[in-house]
Amino acid sequence: MEGRCICGEVAYRLTERPLFVHCCHCSWCQRESGSAFALNALIETDRIELLAGRPEAVAVPSHSGKGQEILRCPRCRVALWSHYAGAGPLMAFVRVGTLAEPASCPPDIHIYTTTKLPWVRLDEGVPAMAEYYARSKHWPEPSLARWQILRARMSA
């Protein structure tokens, strides 16, 4: 899967399928995206290959109070992915809308639906959580195995 910002200065490739895709309806994601939700594909950062340019890291506050780093195109300022404090720079939350084929990454789960805008209709076949969720109950086994490897790297 390949993606890029709107101006094309930064382009990237995911060298593997994402671990899981979140559709986050929290008010923070609504504000940051200027939309009803944020659609993020979670993947190990070392599985993002830069094809052109270099995104610029911008530190911003987050609901947790620990902050996040949003990687943006330095020219058009489009957000390409984020790093949250929990996994740090080893895990990227790739903005699905920057992929050349965003339809290839539909949401695996809807989260923070207590602040979902009332006119957004959810697919009944996709789990919807009031807040966050237990990874072990929703991620497929191959993604959980990759997550365990990533956690070991975080601890090292």
Side-chain angles (χ1 to χ4, degrees), residues 20-153:
F20 209 63
V21 180
H22 287 171
C23 186
C24 184
H25 298 270
C26 79
S27 57
W28 282 76
C29 282
Q30 291 171 10
R31 193 170 300 110
E32 286 173 11
S33 68
S35 187
F37 50 81
L39 191 58
N40 292 307
L42 286 62
I43 191 166
E44 303 92 327
T45 303
D46 64 3
R47 295 177 191 187
I48 300 174
E49 176 184 343
L50 281 175
L51 303 175
R54 181 172 299 279
E56 175 184 41
V58 178
V60 297
S62 67
H63 183 66
S64 72
K66 297 176 183 175
Q68 70 170 304
E69 185 177 74
I70 300 177
L71 283 93
R72 296 180 174 277
C73 169
R75 191 161 128 217
C76 69
R77 310 303 295 157
V78 164
L80 298 160
W81 60 84
S82 288
H83 299 297
Y84 287 90
L90 297 177
M91 171 77 82
F93 286 62
V94 175
R95 302 301 194 273
V96 170
T98 66
L99 292 170
E101 296 180 29
S104 66
C105 282
D108 292 309
I109 199 163
H110 291 274
I111 57 177
Y112 296 101
T113 59
T114 56
T115 51
K116 177 185 77 59
L117 297 177
W119 43 263
V120 172
R121 303 285 179 245
L122 304 180
D123 180 342
E124 291 180 17
V126 177
M129 313 307 291
E131 299 296 326
Y132 204 69
Y133 63 96
R135 193 177 291 109
S136 62
K137 292 182 181 179
H138 294 279
W139 284 26
E141 207 45 57
S143 293
L144 287 170
R146 284 169 54 193
W147 171 248
Q148 290 305 320
I149 292 167
L150 188 65
R151 284 191 53 144
R153 288 178 54 209

